[in-house]
Every structure is written in C-alpha cells, then in structure tokens.
Amino acid sequence: MKLTQAQMAAYERDGFLIFPDLVSAEEVALLRREVERLWNVDAEGTVREGKTGAPKSMFRMHEDNGATASKPFRALSRSPRVLGAAQQLLGDDKLYIHHSKVNVKAAIEGSVWPWHQDYGSWKLDGIERPDMATMLVMLDDASEMSGCLYLLPGSHRWGRTEAYLDTSTAYRLWSVTPEDMKKRMAESPAPVVVDGRAGTCAIFHCNLMHASGHNLSHRDRWQAYFCFNTCVNHPHDVENPRADFVRSRNWKPMELVSDASVLASEAALA
Ligand code: SIN
Ligand code: MN
C-alpha cells in the first residue's frame, strides 16, 4: 500500500487516517483465534477487569519470543499495509514497535479509556521526540455502544499537554485533565467516531487526543494496536523504567514481509 499525497496531507492536518477493510475477514478470523489462545496465557502485562476477570489488555504479540508471541500478529505488524504505512507517515524506513497490545473491551463490563495522548506516557518512557504513530486494527465490528475509539481531529498539532496519572480505571493511564480537555474540546472540531466493520484500521499520531467509552453492548470489542517509533528516537535511560512488554528495548529496524504472510503464518502454526 502506498499512501497518496492527499492521504499524507490529511494525516498532517487531522493526525489520523482511517482504512476500511484493510484486514480481510479471513485474517480477522485468524487473529481472533490467536486472541482466544493468548488470553488464557498467564503473561506479564495482561490486565483483567470486572466481576468475570475478563481480559482488558494483553501485550507483546509482535515478537518472535515470549508467552504472548503470535506469528499472525507479527506478520501483520511487518506487512506493507501496516509497517509500510507507518514508515511513509513517519518519513523513516527504520522503525520498531514500542509496544503492541490487544484491548479486549468485554461486553457489559469493558470500561472507559479517558482522554489522553499516547505521547503523554511515552515521553515519560524517555522518548525524546513525538515521532511515533499507532496502527489500530478492529477485530470486531465497533460501534459507539460497544465503546469504539474517538479521535479529536487536529489535536496532535497542539503538541504534548502535561499528563496526570488517572488511577480510576483498571489500566492506570497518563491522561489529560478534565479541565484541559474541556477547554480543548470547546475550540476543536467534533471528535471523529472510529466505528465500522472488523478489519477496519486507523493510524494516528502519538499526540492526537483520543478516548473511548464503556462497552454497554452484549458483544466484546476487540482491537489490536501496533505503536511504532523511529529507531533513532528509541528511549534513553530513565529512573524506574516500565517493563519491556510496554517499553520495548528491541529497537532493531523491522523488516517488511509480504501482505500474504498473515494467512501464510497459519500453516506455520499447525
Ligand atoms: C488506548 O488508547 O490505548 C486504548 C483505547 C481503546 O482501546 O479504546
Ligand atoms: Mn492511547
């Protein structure tokens, strides 16, 4: 996939791009089987919530080692559709993944992600510049009722807003204060709803304000995220660094594989 000049300009302006059906139904089915396999694994980083202890987040599917390693997720993270698009938007062929995760927002119980910028926490990880972007992959049909993502168009151009640690949710998140958010939203175009069919993807800038609500529907809302950084921008040492599953130290440049590798990886799993 080669992004057009118009797409590049839209990303500059809005801070995100949405790609309907970027991942096929067959690929989504394979990735979903992987999520079901992995959520039973007792892995570092897996967060659970609610009365049923349903998974909220699990990490590090893109590596070729570790409890949550997944060949299909690894192949997708290196595909031209995903890695190629990130390389083009970040203007650098040498990228690595700061972390990958699946957010399993369980039916009825899955809770909110408050308004935040990802670079709010990644700067604290020791990353010098906001030269990062995240590719979101919908593994379910997502709707406002099921807690889809909202993006605030153009908010990446405001730069980083000082973050505070919101401990009110199952996943403690460096968020933007309600006071800042109210001011920002009053001056901004309306948030964009990232809903639609499973297989829809979106890539967004690390300073773009985003959030999602509670899942009130009777169906889960599964979404995968690949967070790319340029290799030269890898984190410097910080005091009390976060664990590797969320702040990778593997900043070797990723190699592109073919788009067909996602389905081909299933044979390798058999
Ligand atoms: C995130 O922003 O990191 C997660 C948001 C979501 O999965 O709804
Ligand atoms: Mn985020």
Side-chain angles (χ1 to χ4, degrees):
M1 178 172 79
K2 189 98 184 122
L3 300 175
T4 63
Q5 277 312 315
Q7 285 175 308
M8 299 288 287
Y11 182 83
E12 276 292 298
R13 183 189 65 230
D14 301 330
F16 66 90
L17 291 172
I18 297 178
F19 307 105
D21 301 322
L22 192 67
V23 174
S24 72
E26 207 184 338
E27 289 171 323
V28 167
L30 171 59
L31 296 164
R32 289 181 59 86
R33 288 198 291 280
E34 283 293 275
V35 175
E36 282 166 354
R37 177 178 72 80
L38 293 175
W39 82 23
N40 293 314
V41 173
D42 201 12
E44 196 194 7
T46 299
V47 181
R48 299 180 189 273
E49 71 176 337
K51 292 188 183 66
T52 56
K56 182 177 175 76
S57 291
M58 49 195 174
F59 287 84
R60 206 173 180 276
M61 304 84 56
H62 69 285
E63 294 288 14
D64 61 0
N65 59 72
T68 49
S70 162
K71 287 192 162 68
F73 275 106
R74 180 173 172 80
L76 183 61
S77 74
R78 289 166 186 256
S79 65
R81 284 170 282 178
V82 172
L83 176 58
Q87 286 173 329
Q88 221 184 317
L89 291 170
L90 293 173
D92 194 332
D93 285 347
K94 291 192 171 52
L95 302 187
Y96 77 98
I97 285 183
H98 184 56
H99 65 244
S100 63
K101 67 184 175 199
V102 177
N103 284 344
V104 180
K105 194 182 277 196
I108 310 293
E109 293 194 288
S111 64
V112 64
W113 291 84
W115 283 106
H116 67 282
Q117 298 168 301
D118 291 333
Y119 191 58
S121 46
W122 297 344
K123 184 169 176 59
L124 302 175
D125 280 337
I127 296 178
E128 214 48 61
R129 289 184 308 280
D131 297 342
M132 302 178 73
T134 293
M135 183 68 91
L136 147 68
V137 183
M138 285 186 197
L139 299 177
D140 272 305
D141 298 350
S143 65
E144 295 201 61
M145 192 170 182
S146 73
C148 69
L149 204 67
Y150 296 93
L151 306 173
L152 207 55
S155 53
H156 64 304
R157 286 188 268 112
W158 302 335
R160 181 176 179 274
T161 299
E162 206 44 51
Y164 83 103
L165 188 61
D166 186 336
T167 54
S168 67
T169 62
Y171 183 89
R172 291 149 47 96
L173 189 69
W174 288 93
S175 304
V176 179
T177 64
E179 292 68 34
D180 278 337
M181 233 23 246
K182 281 186 257 183
K183 271 191 240 133
R184 291 299 197 185
M185 289 179 82
E187 297 158 8
S188 166
V192 169
V193 180
V194 187
D195 58 358
R197 261 204 302 269
T200 299
C201 295
I203 191 162
F204 55 96
H205 190 282
C206 63
N207 267 333
L208 194 75
M209 304 277 182
H210 58 286
S212 67
H214 197 98
N215 183 357
L216 293 173
S217 81
H218 70 292
R219 297 196 45 181
D220 291 352
R221 189 230 64 176
W222 298 358
Q223 293 187 167
Y225 297 81
F226 300 111
C227 309
F228 291 97
N229 191 12
T230 59
C231 296
V232 288
N233 194 36
H234 69 72
H236 57 68
D237 288 346
V238 290
E239 243 177 79
N240 303 319
R242 296 199 293 172
D244 285 12
F245 70 82
V246 72
R247 177 184 178 274
S248 176
R249 287 161 200 262
N250 177 12
W251 42 77
K252 217 168 107 217
M254 292 168 72
E255 305 276 350
L256 282 164
V257 298
S258 74
D259 278 323
S261 305
V262 180
L263 291 180
S265 70
E266 191 168 32
L269 289 174

